[in-house]
Amino acid sequence: MIRLTSPVGRRQCGVAVAGVLAVLLQPVPLTAQGFCFHPRPIARCSWFSVTEAGVALSVPSDEDPNLTFQAGALANVGPRSAIGGMLVGAVFQNDVRLGVRARYRHWLTDRLTLDVAPGVLLYNGAFTADSPGFTGELALGYADWIALTAQLDVVSFEFGTETRGFFGVKLGSYPGAVAAGAAVIWAGVAALVFSDIDKQ
């Protein structure tokens, strides 16, 4: 056991211990080289995942609200800009839709975001579409926790072209990930059901 009897020795030891503790307890900085689950601008993250789930009402319509889900990743390409891609889907009262969207995010502030996301509908469950459709979304979000959305879907069927507008709200981050996971499972089951119905 080493005893420090000299005041100078004790002072040097205290400085050394304080230095070690300062290094160990210093928070690890998030730089533009890092990945974030919770989206942040380029000062904190170079790229980040996005998981969202929500509800939307078609307008005008008396149908029940449909459930929406999205999952993907975006890369910050500037102080206020991010781009990426998303897998998107919706579960309607009697339908399931799946597609992909490109997404551009503008960081209005470090917490307030504006997203523009045009894309393609690839799958329509209850009624088979003649060709891939269009799906687009505009969303105003806060801290990736909640966002207000406006969406437009255009799908061509044998009986004509259906155009639907939607307004809704969605959750992001951890609540969005849980809800999106549940919605994906639900959509998968519904797609299998519709597939079996088509075969009959």
Side-chain angles (χ1 to χ4, degrees):
M1 181 176 180
I2 301 175
R3 298 181 61 187
L4 297 175
T5 57
S6 169
V8 176
R10 286 196 294 268
R11 191 182 310 114
Q12 290 176 336
C13 181
V15 171
V17 170
V20 171
L21 289 176
V23 173
L24 293 177
L25 298 178
Q26 183 179 12
V28 178
L30 291 173
T31 67
Q33 302 301 315
F35 166 80
C36 300
F37 177 77
H38 195 66
R40 290 289 187 271
I42 197 169
R44 303 289 300 277
C45 310
S46 59
W47 62 292
F48 51 88
S49 62
V50 177
T51 51
E52 300 168 337
V55 294
L57 282 172
S58 58
V59 179
S61 175
D62 57 357
E63 293 184 1
D64 293 337
N66 63 77
L67 304 180
T68 64
F69 59 90
Q70 305 189 48
L74 277 72
N76 282 308
V77 295
R80 293 297 176 191
S81 301
I83 57 174
M86 306 291 294
L87 170 67
V88 301
V91 180
F92 291 78
Q93 186 174 12
N94 60 350
D95 204 356
V96 173
R97 289 180 177 175
L98 298 173
V100 292
R101 288 192 189 126
R103 180 181 285 195
Y104 168 77
R105 169 167 291 185
H106 181 69
W107 299 95
L108 299 171
T109 68
D110 285 356
R111 291 185 174 273
L112 193 63
T113 59
L114 179 65
D115 288 5
V116 179
V120 179
L121 285 173
L122 301 175
Y123 175 81
N124 202 83
F127 303 98
T128 302
D130 292 340
S131 60
F134 170 83
T135 178
E137 183 185 58
L138 181 67
L140 181 65
Y142 177 76
D144 201 55
W145 287 103
I146 190 168
L148 301 176
T149 66
Q151 179 180 321
L152 179 68
D153 286 357
V154 181
V155 187
S156 295
F157 300 102
E158 60 181 9
F159 51 80
T161 299
E162 179 187 79
T163 301
R164 284 195 187 188
F166 302 87
F167 293 96
V169 61
K170 61 185 178 181
L171 300 176
S173 194
Y174 299 100
V178 174
V184 168
I185 294 173
W186 187 359
V189 172
L192 290 175
V193 170
F194 287 132
S195 178
D196 291 339
I197 292 175
D198 290 340
K199 291 178 182 179
Q200 294 176 358

